[in-house]
Amino acid sequence: MVSNAFLWLIALPLGSSPIIYLAGRLTRKQPRLKLAQWVSVLSLLAAWWPFIALARAGQQSGGFSLTFGAVDLRFDGLGMLLAGVALMLATLVAVFSGPYLTGEEGEEKYFALLNTMTGAMIGLGCAADLFNLWVWFETMAIASYMLVAFHRNQPGALEAGMKYLVQSAAGSVLILLGISLVILQTGSVNLAVIRSAAVSLPGSPALLAAGALFITGFGVKAALVPLHTWLPDAHSQAPSGISAMLSGVVIEAGLIALLRAIGALAPTTASWGYLLLGIGALNMLVGNLLALRQTQVKRMLAFSSLSHVGYMLLGLGIGFAFHVEDGFTGGFFHLLNHGMLKGLAFLASGALLYTLYISRQQYCPLMISDLAGAARRYPVAAFTLSIALLGLGGLPPLSGFMSKWQIFVAGFRTENTWVIALVIFAALNSVLSLAYYAPLVNTLYRQEPSQAVQQGKPMPFLMNVPLLLLALGSVVLGIWPSLAGWITGPAGAVLMTLVVR
Amino acid sequence: MTFSAANVVAVGVLGLLGVGFYGLLATRNLIKVVVALQILVKSAILGLILAGYLRGQVVLGASLAITVIVADTIVAVIGLALAVQVRRKFGTLDLRSLSTLRR
């Protein structure tokens, strides 16, 4: 029963993808039907049933395994977290993208790839061996290359897609070399076997090198700072729904793959945690400073993703280095919130981009100045975008504040001077980030509308639904943060058992 | 260092890695970039086979290598498809023309 549910959870999004493509091709003459979109939305909604069944059953037993031949999957806390965030965003993005892609060629490919990417991410969260992890990771990456370059007649999208493909592919080669080193040292790719072998090999040079290769390889996808250069281009040039997916779950999926691999190697050395803390500090600073000087809305949001990965790394690094469980749960809570808030921010700015430009067949970037006075004509999009921005900036009644707070509290609990200094640095960064979020909110509510707003078309009704749901979720989690405990707690516990010997 | 098969392959892994990264950094032509990526992946495939062989896990190494070949072909196909589109839109395959997006 439970293993059936597990199978369905992965099979529904992946298996529906060719059906979506066929449905879209067959009804190409009737674009108003939007059959591809609705098959995609329904299959993603259907995948919620096995997810809820597994999440309920998992509360008692702590994880399920599923094995087909050499493919070894395990639904535990980490898998549940990633599956939950991926399903939530993918469902809403599928609803949103229907109106967004009106009149666009190749809709059926978009939805088919969206479902493939979601299924691959669910599989990635549940991978129990290193090679499996790589295969799911690569499947997700391949789907996302094509989605980034979806507007294949736009030079910018082609450039971003090419950059993304080359950097990611080079990163995945490094992961494979890391896997070779692990096989050489332990003779297995199973994460549990690797971990028990690592306990007896503290400081083994091959495993240290493998860990470094994993951090570099998965770090390209997770946008760790010196490896982030593909991110602003890909996130700003992709269709807005895909920007939301990329920023809300794909970089987090890279992070979770990184944690799985490093978690198995955790007994080798305690330095992984310090390394994550260092990279986290760099991510926060560089992300914020680069976001400050952006004039395009989507590029600014893309750079702010870098700093949010930094906050997550701060929490996770505290967990790895000092074995504070709150660090892990705080980091994962921030991952969930970033998925919701950044997803919301990209969808809301995408809705405005659609009404101001794309619906008039113009493909130009949405500038911050274009949004002046948008609140009058587009109250829902402007209001939800403001909630997302203020939540990302960490204003108290919103969920972004709660997760940052949890990470900071975990930092103080280590009673280590350097970590406390780092927490203060993170808090200052959070204040710095308001310097680019607040002016955008101010622009939205200005009196005189910009020329773009005056010429804008009305917003399709269906676009409002995902925006309002995400904004509601963020407010509710901000007021009752303990509601997220059922999904972040088990994920933190999984990593805790890996790092404590 | 003895002249054994494993050592020769190990040198091959490092050599291909070096050639691949050099190619990625030095070349300005998109097709050549895709070729350089292929060379890089070949180094990883050899590495997997070598690691499996040295640990007596030949089947594991070989099955991983075959999976990588499949995945890497798809990446190459997408890379070349993008290159075709770039040639159509920009009229050139030169990488330097592909930097219109601001920092």
Side-chain angles (χ1 to χ4, degrees):
Chain A
M1 169 60 210
V2 168
S3 63
N4 265 344
F6 194 1
L7 193 59
W8 279 115
L9 178 63
I10 298 178
L12 267 171
L14 277 181
S16 62
S17 150
I19 301 174
I20 294 167
Y21 181 71
L22 283 177
R25 285 299 277 198
L26 292 177
T27 57
R28 220 166 15 150
K29 299 275 162 59
Q30 296 100 14
R32 295 180 64 93
L33 207 61
K34 296 212 172 288
L35 194 62
Q37 186 206 355
W38 292 114
V39 177
S40 164
V41 170
L42 285 179
S43 61
L44 290 169
L45 279 177
W48 279 98
W49 288 113
F51 175 74
I52 290 168
L54 280 171
R56 276 204 179 150
Q59 299 286 329
Q60 285 111 39
S61 65
F64 311 102
S65 295
L66 188 65
T67 312
F68 305 98
V71 179
D72 199 3
L73 297 170
R74 192 173 165 71
F75 188 84
D76 57 7
L78 269 182
M80 181 164 85
L81 175 74
L82 190 59
V85 179
L87 268 183
M88 171 190 73
L89 264 187
T91 316
L92 297 174
V93 164
V95 172
F96 175 88
S97 298
Y100 189 84
L101 293 177
T102 306
E104 208 69 63
E105 210 181 305
E107 221 183 335
E108 69 278 355
K109 292 175 207 148
Y110 176 97
F111 288 108
L113 287 169
L114 177 67
N115 272 36
T116 309
M117 191 162 85
T118 314
M121 273 189 282
I122 296 173
L124 185 147
C126 301
D129 73 57
L130 264 184
F131 195 69
N132 223 318
L133 190 70
W134 183 84
V135 172
W136 290 116
F137 183 77
E138 197 68 8
T139 314
M140 171 188 89
I142 287 171
S144 63
Y145 301 151
M146 290 188 266
L147 286 169
V148 165
F150 179 74
H151 293 303
R152 64 198 157 102
N153 294 323
Q154 301 305 314
L158 286 176
E159 178 187 340
M162 201 71 208
K163 225 183 235 180
Y164 181 35
L165 182 133
V166 171
Q167 293 201 14
S168 278
S172 94
V173 168
L174 297 182
I175 300 169
L176 287 173
L177 289 172
I179 294 177
S180 315
L181 283 175
V182 169
I183 295 177
L184 198 61
Q185 195 59 264
T186 66
S188 171
V189 286
N190 187 294
L191 287 171
V193 175
I194 294 167
R195 186 176 183 278
S196 49
V199 174
S200 58
L201 295 164
S204 140
L207 291 185
L208 289 180
L213 286 169
F214 289 144
I215 291 187
T216 327
F218 288 121
V220 172
K221 198 50 110 297
L224 306 186
V225 146
L227 313 165
H228 69 280
T229 47
W230 61 273
L231 180 138
D233 296 343
H235 287 206
S236 61
Q237 296 300 316
S240 297
I242 297 311
S243 313
M245 285 297 283
L246 284 177
S247 192
V249 260
V250 174
I251 56 176
E252 281 82 350
L255 194 62
I256 283 188
L258 172 68
L259 293 175
R260 280 256 191 235
I262 294 298
L265 300 174
T268 327
T269 169
S271 311
W272 302 127
Y274 299 111
L275 194 57
L276 293 186
L277 287 175
I279 299 173
L282 205 61
N283 256 48
M284 285 184 252
L285 189 66
V286 172
N288 277 331
L289 290 182
L290 288 176
L292 266 178
R293 52 191 284 265
Q294 298 305 317
T295 49
Q296 299 176 12
V297 178
K298 283 175 79 177
R299 258 185 116 72
M300 187 203 88
L301 290 174
F303 277 113
S304 97
S305 294
L306 291 182
S307 62
H308 284 274
V309 169
Y311 301 124
M312 290 173 220
L313 285 176
L314 175 62
L316 298 167
I318 289 169
F320 264 102
F322 299 94
H323 303 178
V324 179
E325 191 164 351
D326 273 357
F328 286 133
T329 40
F332 288 133
F333 189 24
H334 199 68
L335 189 152
L336 174 69
N337 285 333
H338 181 250
M340 286 192 343
L341 291 167
K342 191 53 71 62
L344 175 58
F346 269 117
L347 290 185
S349 53
L352 290 166
L353 175 65
Y354 174 77
T355 50
L356 300 189
Y357 289 120
I358 293 182
S359 60
R360 298 194 291 129
Q361 309 298 323
Q362 290 178 350
Y363 292 89
C364 45
L366 184 68
M367 311 303 278
I368 292 177
S369 54
D370 287 339
L371 289 182
R376 288 256 173 119
R377 281 206 64 189
Y378 309 107
V380 176
F383 179 67
T384 50
L385 182 56
S386 315
I387 286 194
L389 293 172
L390 297 177
L392 287 168
L395 252 62
L398 298 164
S399 60
F401 168 77
M402 289 299 167
S403 47
K404 279 182 192 168
W405 183 251
Q406 200 177 352
I407 293 170
F408 296 168
V409 168
F412 278 104
R413 215 169 272 168
T414 61
E415 293 175 4
N416 177 309
T417 324
W418 288 103
V419 174
I420 292 174
L422 200 56
V423 165
I424 294 170
F425 176 71
L428 289 175
N429 260 297
S430 187
V431 176
L432 176 64
S433 71
L434 278 175
Y436 53 89
Y437 293 132
L440 183 51
V441 176
N442 180 27
T443 312
L444 282 169
Y445 285 91
R446 221 174 261 164
Q447 288 295 324
E448 304 85 39
S450 70
Q451 204 191 359
V453 169
Q454 279 169 341
Q455 294 172 345
K457 296 254 172 80
M459 202 166 108
F461 171 75
L462 202 56
M463 277 188 175
N464 292 320
V465 180
L467 302 186
L468 288 171
L469 283 176
L470 281 171
L472 185 72
S474 141
V475 173
V476 169
L477 276 189
I479 299 174
W480 291 287
S482 54
L483 281 183
W486 65 276
I487 194 161
T488 56
V494 168
L495 276 189
M496 202 60 194
T497 52
L498 286 177
V499 292
V500 177
R501 288 176 200 207
Chain B
M1 192 167 140
T2 54
F3 192 74
S4 69
N7 283 337
V8 174
V9 176
V11 170
V13 171
L14 293 177
L16 285 175
L17 194 68
V19 172
F21 269 116
Y22 174 76
L24 269 190
L25 295 175
T27 184
R28 297 273 176 234
N29 183 302
L30 272 183
I31 306 284
K32 288 185 186 164
V33 167
V34 176
V35 172
L37 275 180
Q38 289 292 301
I39 295 174
L40 267 182
V41 179
K42 295 309 169 279
S43 135
I45 293 173
L46 265 188
L48 285 173
I49 293 176
L50 177 67
Y53 168 75
L54 287 177
R55 289 295 298 199
Q57 305 257 16
V58 179
V59 179
L60 177 71
S63 58
L64 301 191
I66 291 171
T67 321
V68 175
I69 291 173
V70 174
D72 135 65
T73 310
I74 304 174
V75 173
V77 167
I78 298 175
L80 291 175
L82 285 178
V84 169
Q85 290 291 334
V86 169
R87 179 73 174 72
R88 281 194 190 146
K89 290 294 144 203
F90 291 80
T92 167
L93 282 169
D94 195 329
L95 265 185
R96 277 164 294 192
S97 67
L98 258 187
S99 47
T100 52
L101 299 174
R102 2 185 342 246
R103 295 296 109 209

